Amino acid sequence: MARSFRGNPMIVTVTPNPAIDLTYQVAGIVPGGSHRVRPPLLRAGGKGINVARVLHGQGVPVRAVATAGGDTGTELAAGLGGIEHRLVPVGAATRRTIALVDQTDGETSIFNEFGASLLPAEWQALAAAVADELPGAAVLVGSGSLPEGAPADFYPGLVALARHAGIPAVVDASGGGLLSAASAGADLLKPNRAELLEATGERDLAAGARMLLRLGAHRVLVSNGAEGMLGFESGRPGQLSARLPQPLVGNPTGAGDAAVAGAASVLAAGELDLRVLLCRAAAWGSAAVLMPGAGEISPDWQELESDLIVEELS
Amino acid sequence: MARSFRGNPMIVTVTPNPAIDLTYQVAGIVPGGSHRVRPPLLRAGGKGINVARVLHGQGVPVRAVATAGGDTGTELAAGLGGIEHRLVPVGAATRRTIALVDQTDGETSIFNEFGASLLPAEWQALAAAVADELPGAAVLVGSGSLPEGAPADFYPGLVALARHAGIPAVVDASGGGLLSAASAGADLLKPNRAELLEATGERDLAAGARMLLRLGAHRVLVSNGAEGMLGFESGRPGQLSARLPQPLVGNPTGAGDAAVAGAASVLAAGELDLRVLLCRAAAWGSAAVLMPGAGEISPDWQELESDLIVEELS
């Protein structure tokens, strides 16, 4: 599976439930009040697109595959900035997310629209677009929630496409999507602590991760907030922990997507070692906390990576 | 100025700063929290479009003239429902308004984007479109805020176009727009109490209305919330008051636009009598309070009109 021979290790990200993100700065939010606001910052969003944005910002070749529909779908295309992309046209309008940043205290209130259902033919078109992008790709990343009525085998289908292309599949999903991706033999899963416990029904992080490995996943990285990140691998008895000497202060929004981007960039270079994956994911995730906006990581990520305290726990 | 001979007394409304209104129902708003929401109710908005919606709902021929730009401009066109319209294409994207209705207490928080500036050629195109719509029209209504950088003579220009066409001009504006429309000799102005006092600098409602008449307005209707509506007319010493026996409970959003629509429907029938104008405006405004959504009036408006207590005050 070594891919170091590839001249152009392109990462393909798939976002089954993208969104156009509208971020408003509000000078003091008064519940029940009327507020005058400047036009919002408009960005293409959804977890796979956010992963692509981080990779693009770091100069890693990446191509974002997503659906787009309606006038918000046109906005989505415009909001991708310079990210290479392939948008599969669908009938239903792309959903919005609305973020209201209260400038008086920095507190952000978020309103995420549910994604509209896709037609069966549209799910097929999305899968066909992914398959079409895989020749020449080094890694396939599938990220985020699924719209209502999604086929239960969507993430397993992505894992199968990656296996067919001979490249690793990374999945960042929650609930049934996480479990089904594990069962399909995903090369890397990256739930956060809450998602892991909710999906597996376990009370203990390590027990949850081990369940995903038993189901078929090869590696699991679990983000655990300020306590850092844990890595698990099938056939490896213990677990690896990576954390910074002291927790960072900043904006954790998008840190999980940055961690996935970090791990994907390592895989794209042909590296499968759990320690390397864990450290790069932890470093990029931490470097995202230092930046004000989601989708960016601090240029000091290498320093953060070298500061990591990595321990083998039994 | 009698217009009863017209077969088709079309009302033309002009909205210089339209918006696409997004209304979200939220199951309990938690400041700083993350919320899952259904896709919003999407409607074309801005005061002139809201006036047109009320008229259209009552079967009164109306045509809405507004600007539209960007993907939100496409949404605006789709959100007009069956309202006849003429949209002048502009470069800047149409603004949004976001309304978050907290389903737990019915409280609505509103976030209104400022409108983007228009280019001088776009202002000219808007005025030319209005001029082009006036032959055959019975009334011209100009409503709402102006985007930044609007020419100071925008509302006076509308009044001049109406005079040239031999039809009455109704203006519902605030601040400088209200004063300049008065100076231009608008046939009817309809500020609310707060707008009137703010624009004129007077502390007393009657003094403010008289200032607008002195500037050149022919009639002024002032909405005064639950206390009803007052009517003033140049050359008429006293004032007319119209109010319901008891205040209504309901949603006052859009009541002002419904009042303008009521007055415009009377003018379109060739009727200029202040008492008739005042009563229809008060009845439609009150009938809007009884309906859950803006842009609708209760079918019981005639009953409300007959319940009005009308007094001539000196």
Side-chain angles (χ1 to χ4, degrees), chain B residues 27-80:
Chain B
I29 297 178
V30 180
S34 187
H35 312 74
R36 300 277 281 166
V37 294
R38 295 264 145 209
L41 175 68
L42 264 175
R43 283 220 308 204
K47 290 175 78 69
I49 287 174
N50 293 339
V51 170
R53 181 172 286 112
V54 173
L55 289 164
H56 179 70
Q58 296 306 304
V60 179
V62 63
R63 201 162 158 82
V65 180
T67 58
D71 300 312
T72 41
T74 311
E75 290 181 318
L76 182 84
L80 279 163

Side-chain angles (χ1 to χ4, degrees), chain A residues 11-31:
Chain A
I11 297 170
V12 173
T13 74
V14 184
T15 312
N17 198 16
I20 178 78
D21 293 337
L22 284 69
T23 301
Y24 289 95
Q25 303 290 328
V26 188
I29 297 178
V30 180

Side-chain angles (χ1 to χ4, degrees), chain A residues 22 24 31-38 40 71 74-75 96 98 100 107-114 148, chain B residues 22 24 31-38 40 71 74-75 96 98 100 107-114 148:
Chain A
L22 284 69
Y24 289 95
S34 187
H35 311 75
R36 299 279 279 166
V37 294
R38 294 265 146 210
D71 300 312
T74 312
E75 290 180 318
R96 297 176 194 77
I98 311 263
L100 303 173
E107 201 170 62
T108 300
S109 303
I110 294 178
F111 301 86
N112 289 319
E113 292 182 19
F114 290 100
E148 281 181 83
Chain B
L22 285 69
Y24 289 95
S34 187
H35 312 74
R36 300 277 281 166
V37 294
R38 295 264 145 209
D71 300 312
T74 311
E75 290 181 318
R96 296 177 195 77
I98 311 264
L100 303 173
E107 201 171 63
T108 301
S109 304
I110 293 177
F111 301 85
N112 290 317
E113 292 181 19
F114 291 101
E148 281 181 83

Side-chain angles (χ1 to χ4, degrees), chain A:
Chain A
M1 257 192 168
R3 241 155 281 81
S4 50
F5 65 89
R6 290 186 191 279
N8 183 18
M10 170 78 77
I11 297 170
V12 173
T13 74
V14 184
T15 312
N17 198 16
I20 178 78
D21 293 337
L22 284 69
T23 301
Y24 289 95
Q25 303 290 328
V26 188
I29 297 178
V30 180
S34 187
H35 311 75
R36 299 279 279 166
V37 294
R38 294 265 146 210
L41 175 68
L42 264 175
R43 283 221 307 208
K47 292 176 76 72
I49 288 174
N50 293 339
V51 170
R53 181 173 285 110
V54 172
L55 289 164
H56 179 70
Q58 297 305 307
V60 179
V62 62
R63 200 161 160 82
V65 179
T67 59
D71 300 312
T72 41
T74 312
E75 290 180 318
L76 182 85
L80 279 163
I83 304 169
E84 270 194 61
H85 57 275
R86 174 167 181 159
L87 298 178
V88 176
V90 293
T94 297
R95 70 193 176 107
R96 297 176 194 77
T97 75
I98 311 263
L100 303 173
V101 182
D102 190 327
Q103 294 175 307
T104 57
D105 57 11
E107 201 170 62
T108 300
S109 303
I110 294 178
F111 301 86
N112 289 319
E113 292 182 19
F114 290 100
S117 306
L118 301 187
L119 299 172
E122 293 170 341
W123 282 111
Q124 288 162 19
L126 177 60
V130 173
D132 196 45
E133 293 293 339
L134 289 193
V139 181
L140 176 59
V141 178
S143 275
S145 62
L146 294 168
E148 281 181 83
D153 65 350
F154 178 74
Y155 278 126
L158 287 191
V159 174
L161 284 173
R163 180 168 307 131
H164 184 72
I167 62 173
V170 181
V171 176
D172 182 4
S174 56
L178 178 62
L179 298 179
S180 65
S183 301
D187 294 270
L188 181 65
L189 298 174
K190 198 229 59 64
N192 63 34
R193 178 193 175 84
E195 289 165 344
L196 178 64
L197 300 186
E198 191 275 330
T200 60
E202 297 285 352
R203 290 176 156 197
D204 174 72
L205 194 152
R210 298 250 161 246
M211 179 189 286
L212 296 181
L213 296 181
R214 269 203 313 280
L215 285 171
H218 292 288
R219 292 163 204 83
V220 179
L221 301 182
V222 187
S223 46
N224 196 10
E227 291 174 53
M229 196 171 267
L230 291 168
F232 300 82
E233 190 171 24
S234 67
R236 184 184 190 119
Q239 65 195 61
L240 276 178
S241 156
R243 60 184 171 82
L244 288 169
Q246 55 263 333
L248 295 172
V249 177
N251 173 17
T253 309
D257 297 328
V260 170
S265 73
V266 166
L267 290 170
E271 178 62 63
L272 292 167
D273 184 73
L274 184 67
R275 177 184 287 257
V276 181
L277 287 166
L278 175 69
C279 288
R280 188 62 46 86
W284 283 30
S286 302
V289 172
L290 295 179
M291 301 301 278
E296 302 170 294
I297 66 172
S298 161
D300 298 334
W301 68 263
Q302 281 164 309
E303 207 171 307
L304 291 170
E305 189 173 86
S306 62
D307 283 351
L308 285 171
I309 299 165
V310 184
E311 294 174 289
E312 180 96 42
L313 310 175
S314 57

